[in-house]
Amino acid sequence: MTLSPTTLRADASRVVILPFSISIMPRDSAMGAMSRVTRVCSALTALSTEQCRAELEIVNRDFTGRHWQTRGIFLDRFRQIQQLQGDLEGLDEDHQALIGAYFCHEYSYQAAAIMNPSVVPHPDQTNAKGGVNFVMSTRTVGEGHTSTVSFREGVFFPDGSMELWPEADFAVAAKPASNVLLDGAVQVRGHQACPISETVLFPVTRAQSNGLEDLRLTWFEEEDGSREYLGTYTAYSGRETACECLETSDFRSFRLTPFTGAASQHKGLAFFPRRMNGRYAAIARLDHESLFYLESDDRYAWNMGDRIMGPEAPWELIQMGNCGSPIELDEGWLLLTHGVGAVRRYSLGAALLDKSNPRKLIARSKHPLLSPSEDNREGYVPNVVYTCGAMRVGDWIFMPYGVADSSIHFASIHIKDMLAHLGL
């Protein structure tokens, strides 16, 4: 196993502009029954043109250099406030932008943690320098312990090394394509002019309200040869968790759809990268501790399946789970796993499933593939190494992984060494 010196850590300077919500309901106060939204809007509309420009200049000085198209964000927010208030007609654009700015706030989406990456081939393979360009998703955590999905881009080289592309200057929250429903499927869009690494996916439905957690991506190939990116993630409402589906062709537009069926209430379902027996297939954990093989005619509906493996070794005795979508090898399906042992210590392992019948276990890790080390165990959640997905590049398995929910590291493993680890 080759470990890269590259490390990603949580960066509080990565911020986006989000709506700042104030109740529109009137409240009794020293000024009588008036909502704060009405009071603030009234005060701002009363400003003269010169006063408005002076205040807007202060806002621009402090925030324009930190965000992409700040004025457009403020104007969009004004239009949202106008729909709520209904009495803000005839204002010049500077007044509109200033009002919008008062109902926005900055949010540091990775101030608390960065963790649990997943990686797939990039939709754009130009300038790959003989390697393979990749997109890596990360789980980022900010104020209020809200989890979001963000992205980084890079290239993996034939010698097993990797390189991250420079981080984009700005980050932009993807927007719902239409009025957001409290439940159900939604479409969200990043800006078409932004690099993929600028896009951040935030919760948009009630089921997701406290976070989008642990995206497991795969590059899915249909039987007709067409491809799209599929992923699964945990939607957390603050009280309940549920598994949902992400679909995208370009990492610009995303469809987020809740799963149905018995398996939808469990974390960690991961798609196979192609159909099995003409049906969608997945690995899931249905009993909180073991791995099951599932098939379905409907990619959004998952029920029961066949148990293929459970905790055996001391390092995984508490529970085990998958670490992303299975990877197709000549020898079978490589499944990365995680196990939880004493003192809730998370380690990574692997298994090999039969290529034509993934219900059949060929081999599994007898000891961890990767574990927390003495110099790499401290952080937001100590004693954890975890990944949500690796990818095959030639004779290599490229595996980014999180450490202690506080940083992301990168490993590359030659396939022959992985098979030797499995005793094959």
Side-chain angles (χ1 to χ4, degrees), residues 38-58:
T38 300
R39 178 177 60 78
V40 170
C41 290
S42 296
L44 295 175
T45 55
L47 295 177
S48 68
T49 300
E50 292 74 18
Q51 289 173 319
C52 175
R53 287 176 179 171
E55 292 300 321
L56 192 58
E57 179 58 34
I58 295 172

Side-chain angles (χ1 to χ4, degrees), residues 309 334-337 348-352 363-365 369 418 421-422:
M309 59 190 299
L334 176 66
L335 178 65
L336 297 177
T337 66
L348 299 182
L352 192 69
R364 63 185 295 172
S365 296
L369 180 68
M418 180 69 81
H421 166 80
L422 293 171

Side-chain angles (χ1 to χ4, degrees), residues 87-107:
D87 58 352
L88 297 172
E89 302 293 337
L91 295 176
D92 61 72
E93 191 174 278
D94 283 344
H95 275 86
Q96 293 178 21
L98 185 60
I99 290 172
Y102 269 79
F103 296 95
C104 289
H105 73 116
E106 276 193 333
Y107 182 85

Side-chain angles (χ1 to χ4, degrees), residues 9-292:
R9 300 189 185 280
D11 181 0
S13 71
R14 300 295 295 174
V15 291
V16 298
I17 293 180
L18 296 179
F20 175 50
S21 297
I22 302 173
S23 174
I24 63 171
M25 298 303 295
R27 295 176 180 270
D28 291 329
S29 68
M31 300 177 65
M34 178 184 295
S35 76
R36 278 195 290 167
V37 173
T38 300
R39 178 177 60 78
V40 170
C41 290
S42 296
L44 295 175
T45 55
L47 295 177
S48 68
T49 300
E50 292 74 18
Q51 289 173 319
C52 175
R53 287 176 179 171
E55 292 300 321
L56 192 58
E57 179 58 34
I58 295 172
V59 173
N60 291 337
R61 181 193 66 203
D62 290 343
F63 296 101
T64 297
R66 293 166 60 85
H67 300 279
W68 188 78
Q69 292 192 347
T70 308
R71 188 177 181 89
I73 295 173
F74 293 159
L75 291 172
D76 283 346
R77 183 59 175 147
F78 167 78
R79 286 187 281 270
Q80 294 171 356
I81 296 301
Q82 188 178 36
Q83 289 181 345
L84 295 174
Q85 287 294 101
D87 58 352
L88 297 172
E89 302 293 337
L91 295 176
D92 61 72
E93 191 174 278
D94 283 344
H95 275 86
Q96 293 178 21
L98 185 60
I99 290 172
Y102 269 79
F103 296 95
C104 289
H105 73 116
E106 276 193 333
Y107 182 85
S108 178
Y109 62 91
Q110 58 171 276
I114 185 170
M115 58 182 126
N116 302 357
S118 180
V119 66
V120 288
H122 200 291
D124 181 2
Q125 289 298 321
T126 59
N127 302 316
K129 306 175 185 177
V132 174
N133 294 336
F134 63 82
V135 175
M136 181 179 71
S137 65
T138 68
R139 176 181 169 187
T140 39
V141 182
E143 178 185 348
H145 199 77
T146 297
S147 292
T148 53
V149 177
S150 58
F151 303 96
R152 288 297 302 268
E153 301 161 275
V155 59
F156 185 86
F157 296 109
D159 64 355
S161 63
M162 53 77 62
E163 177 183 292
L164 286 177
W165 296 351
E167 192 166 38
D169 293 333
F170 306 118
V172 179
K175 296 179 179 179
S178 60
N179 292 332
V180 179
L181 303 174
L182 288 179
D183 298 290
V186 294
Q187 193 88 12
V188 295
R189 294 173 182 163
H191 199 285
Q192 297 301 304
C194 291
I196 292 172
S197 58
E198 284 192 3
T199 301
V200 185
L201 305 183
F202 278 82
V204 291
T205 69
R206 183 167 54 191
Q208 306 165 356
S209 56
N210 271 60
L212 309 174
E213 302 178 355
D214 300 343
L215 176 62
R216 288 161 160 81
L217 285 170
T218 191
W219 195 25
F220 185 84
E221 183 175 9
E222 267 292 5
E223 292 177 325
D224 62 2
S226 62
R227 284 185 177 270
E228 64 180 318
Y229 297 96
L230 296 183
T232 66
Y233 59 90
T234 298
Y236 179 50
S237 69
R239 298 178 304 277
E240 299 176 337
T241 60
C243 198
E244 297 190 350
C245 179
L246 176 146
E247 300 158 279
T248 184
S249 61
D250 55 5
F251 290 93
R252 308 288 185 187
S253 178
F254 306 85
R255 180 176 173 84
L256 309 178
T257 306
F259 286 130
T260 61
S264 68
Q265 301 307 307
H266 295 270
K267 294 183 177 183
L269 184 144
F271 284 110
F272 276 71
R274 61 176 174 86
R275 290 177 184 257
M276 300 296 298
N277 306 311
R279 311 176 77 197
Y280 295 102
I283 298 293
R285 189 171 63 192
L286 304 180
D287 62 357
H288 303 289
E289 64 179 41
S290 306
L291 291 176
F292 291 73

